[in-house]
Amino acid sequence: MLKEKKVRESSLYKVRAVSSSTIRRLPVYLRLLDSLTRDDLKFVSSKQLSEKTGYTAEQIRKDLSRFGTFGTRGAGYDTEALRNEILKIIGLHKKIAVIVVGVGHLGTALLRYNVNKTPYTNVVAAFDTSPEVVGKRILDVEVLPAHKMEEIVKKHDVKLAILTVPSKNAQVAVDQVIQSGVQVIFNFAPTWVQVPEGVVVHNADISVELQSLIYYATTKEKEEYASTI
Amino acid sequence: MLKEKKVRESSLYKVRAVSSSTIRRLPVYLRLLDSLTRDDLKFVSSKQLSEKTGYTAEQIRKDLSRFGTFGTRGAGYDTEALRNEILKIIGLHKKIAVIVVGVGHLGTALLRYNVNKTPYTNVVAAFDTSPEVVGKRILDVEVLPAHKMEEIVKKHDVKLAILTVPSKNAQVAVDQVIQSGVQVIFNFAPTWVQVPEGVVVHNADISVELQSLIYYATTKEKEEYASTI
DNA sequence: TCATGTGAAGAGCTTCACAGCA
DNA sequence: TGCTGTGAAGCTCTTCACATGA
């Protein structure tokens, strides 16, 4: 989980970091607004957004008002305008350059189905050490040898690396990514990696999510039991 | 996000659902205890667990005490015993039968590197509609045609389905999975699916996580700006 | 009238601080 | 002494309720 900045204290100002819960909801709003824009819906109310996302309408209004005043009383939010605001808030108003490190099945899957299907990220290259995949192309993305990483990162000002290497190679890959100048890493290897101060690592932690889900899958009986104590 | 049960109120008892934050930390403790058991460490204190996980020691003690009294004052927690308790809490003390639906790159990646590498889950079969993959084996797991699903689910008492089909097939796949008798679904398709009451769907939502991360990747300047307002 | 924006109240989660026990 | 277990305090996030404005 990403750590939040501590609240700053001063005699004049309190600037509080945006809560991570809010940050996680923004992309959900964005996805919904994308589909509403496609449907040519001009205005949308917090109540309508609520019905689609499952969040309460108040929650949504609070989230949005954290960043400014985007709505029109009586009418709701201008779909297109709100979408643009959220893009700016997240930092997606300019395409962000991304690299994928590790072109096994998972890397290939992300390249094919997820990352470049949105207009927000631009995968400028993928990297691997295996001669069998280096030189290949997955959709539009070329697979390069690892020693080209720094050059590519500098050239395209890459801000984010998606790491899909096997666990045993994760630390080496992370070191190289950081060496190349990338400061934010989305790690899919089910392992913890060491990074210097200032580098952000977010672990996808599929097995943690799976096991949490197993708790809920096996827990109906447990809850029943607890309620009869 | 999984919804929590509402707190029950009665004149005699209050049974409160375990918080989802706690549930998400349990698998992290488990992963750590697994490695400590391999290192033959007999006892571990909440302070030691804190250093490895990044959670505070009090947090860890609170989490564990929610389920019982597992520690020994002055000594810490018996590594092996605590591991077994957490397995029981999550519901992993018996291997849980799982199916994977959709054997593209992502499904293959999960089959190869994640799901069956732990001793906790047992992938009894994978399913696909494409004749090119049906009949293949990935490690020990056979890829079957979709019409065999119900038979397999009944036979192995499958409790959980991992869904790795393309978005456009997600709803059809979900319907079939539920039809077969599975009530808990881990969905990797970047789309929302409709399910009847009682069925739990957890969305992996890789693009939501990626976009949250982009907020943090592009936000250093924003925070700086905010702090000078 | 309708829907936003927002203080205030409420609920939930985390940290503190220390009693209790090996 | 050392470390757990846990009420109480503190803090954050969510929901409530309503003033405000189109």
Side-chain angles (χ1 to χ4, degrees):
Chain A
M1 194 48 48
L2 294 160
K3 246 186 213 158
E4 259 164 75
K5 250 186 191 172
K6 272 270 172 224
V7 175
R8 283 164 201 262
E9 288 276 8
S10 91
S11 50
L12 282 173
Y13 310 116
K14 263 190 191 178
V15 180
R16 145 172 296 160
V18 181
S19 84
S20 59
S21 329
T22 297
I23 302 301
R24 253 178 289 123
R25 285 189 292 265
L26 291 176
V28 178
Y29 304 148
L30 179 61
R31 188 193 289 178
L32 188 51
L33 290 167
D34 278 348
S35 82
L36 293 176
T37 308
R38 276 196 301 275
D39 295 350
D40 272 331
L41 234 79
K42 194 83 188 88
F43 272 85
V44 63
S45 70
S46 57
K47 198 179 166 204
Q48 290 171 296
L49 290 170
S50 167
E51 280 156 17
K52 301 266 186 181
T53 59
Y55 307 133
T56 67
E58 299 88 335
Q59 178 93 83
I60 293 168
R61 294 203 300 275
K62 263 263 150 77
D63 281 345
L64 298 178
S65 73
R66 175 69 184 73
F67 300 99
T69 301
F70 306 134
T72 309
R73 288 163 199 239
Y77 300 90
D78 180 297
T79 313
E80 179 65 25
L82 182 59
R83 181 173 164 276
N84 287 331
E85 289 295 343
I86 293 180
L87 285 177
K88 262 190 257 171
I89 295 166
I90 300 182
L92 292 171
H93 52 302
K94 292 180 193 169
K95 271 209 181 196
I96 178 163
V98 171
I99 55 173
V100 170
V101 181
V103 188
H105 285 283
L106 182 55
T108 305
L110 291 180
L111 286 167
R112 270 180 189 276
Y113 302 115
N114 284 69
V115 187
N116 263 3
K117 285 282 170 70
T118 77
Y120 308 125
T121 47
N122 178 26
V123 181
V124 295
F127 295 92
D128 207 295
T129 49
S130 157
E132 285 160 44
V133 287
V134 169
K136 280 194 181 169
R137 277 181 171 276
I138 288 131
L139 301 188
D140 279 353
V141 181
E142 203 173 354
V143 183
L144 301 174
H147 66 82
K148 296 256 189 184
M149 199 185 289
E150 188 162 357
E151 183 193 329
I152 296 284
V153 168
K154 298 284 180 284
K155 186 172 159 199
H156 295 92
D157 190 25
V158 172
K159 289 268 190 279
L160 194 147
I162 298 174
L163 210 77
T164 49
V165 300
S167 296
K168 63 180 194 310
N169 304 342
Q171 187 64 56
V172 173
V174 162
D175 293 345
Q176 181 157 39
V177 162
I178 294 170
Q179 174 70 35
S180 305
V182 177
Q183 300 259 56
V184 183
I185 297 167
F186 192 9
N187 172 37
F188 281 84
T191 185
W192 288 302
V193 291
Q194 303 275 322
V195 296
E197 188 86 13
V199 175
V200 177
V201 178
H202 179 68
N203 293 303
D205 257 322
I206 290 169
S207 57
V208 167
E209 284 195 65
L210 182 65
Q211 291 175 8
S212 304
L213 194 54
I214 289 173
Y215 174 87
Y216 292 101
T218 61
T219 211
K220 278 171 195 171
E221 309 93 68
K222 288 179 206 157
E223 295 279 323
E224 235 59 79
Y225 176 69
S227 70
T228 61
I229 289 169
Chain B
M1 193 51 45
L2 293 160
K3 245 186 215 158
E4 259 163 74
K5 253 187 187 169
K6 272 271 173 225
V7 175
R8 282 164 201 262
E9 288 276 8
S10 92
S11 49
L12 283 173
Y13 310 115
K14 264 191 191 177
V15 179
R16 144 172 296 162
V18 180
S19 84
S20 60
S21 330
T22 297
I23 302 300
R24 253 178 288 124
R25 285 189 292 265
L26 291 175
V28 177
Y29 303 149
L30 180 60
R31 187 193 289 177
L32 188 51
L33 289 167
D34 278 349
S35 82
L36 294 176
T37 308
R38 277 198 300 276
D39 296 350
D40 272 332
L41 235 79
K42 196 82 188 87
F43 273 85
V44 63
S45 70
S46 57
K47 198 177 164 204
Q48 291 171 296
L49 290 170
S50 167
E51 282 156 14
K52 302 265 184 179
T53 59
Y55 307 134
T56 67
E58 299 87 334
Q59 178 94 84
I60 294 168
R61 295 203 298 276
K62 264 262 151 76
D63 281 345
L64 298 178
S65 72
R66 174 69 185 72
F67 300 99
T69 302
F70 306 134
T72 310
R73 285 161 200 241
Y77 300 89
D78 181 296
T79 312
E80 178 65 25
L82 182 58
R83 181 172 165 277
N84 288 330
E85 289 295 343
I86 292 180
L87 285 177
K88 263 190 258 172
I89 295 165
I90 301 182
L92 293 170
H93 53 303
K94 293 180 194 168
K95 271 206 179 196
I96 179 164
V98 172
I99 56 174
V100 170
V101 181
V103 189
H105 284 282
L106 182 55
T108 306
L110 292 180
L111 285 166
R112 273 180 187 275
Y113 302 115
N114 285 67
V115 188
N116 261 3
K117 285 282 169 68
T118 77
Y120 308 125
T121 46
N122 178 28
V123 181
V124 296
F127 296 91
D128 208 296
T129 49
S130 158
E132 284 160 44
V133 287
V134 169
K136 279 196 182 168
R137 279 181 170 276
I138 288 132
L139 301 188
D140 279 353
V141 181
E142 204 172 353
V143 182
L144 302 174
H147 69 258
K148 296 256 190 185
M149 200 185 287
E150 188 162 357
E151 182 192 330
I152 296 285
V153 167
K154 297 285 181 284
K155 186 171 157 197
H156 295 93
D157 191 25
V158 172
K159 289 266 190 280
L160 194 146
I162 298 173
L163 210 77
T164 49
V165 299
S167 296
K168 64 180 193 310
N169 304 341
Q171 187 64 55
V172 173
V174 161
D175 293 344
Q176 180 157 41
V177 162
I178 295 169
Q179 174 70 36
S180 304
V182 177
Q183 300 258 58
V184 183
I185 297 167
F186 192 8
N187 172 37
F188 280 84
T191 185
W192 289 301
V193 290
Q194 303 275 322
V195 296
E197 187 86 14
V199 174
V200 177
V201 178
H202 179 66
N203 293 304
D205 257 321
I206 289 169
S207 57
V208 168
E209 285 195 63
L210 182 66
Q211 291 176 8
S212 304
L213 195 55
I214 289 172
Y215 174 88
Y216 291 102
T218 60
T219 211
K220 277 171 196 171
E221 310 93 68
K222 289 180 206 158
E223 294 280 323
E224 234 63 77
Y225 175 69
S227 71
T228 61
I229 290 171

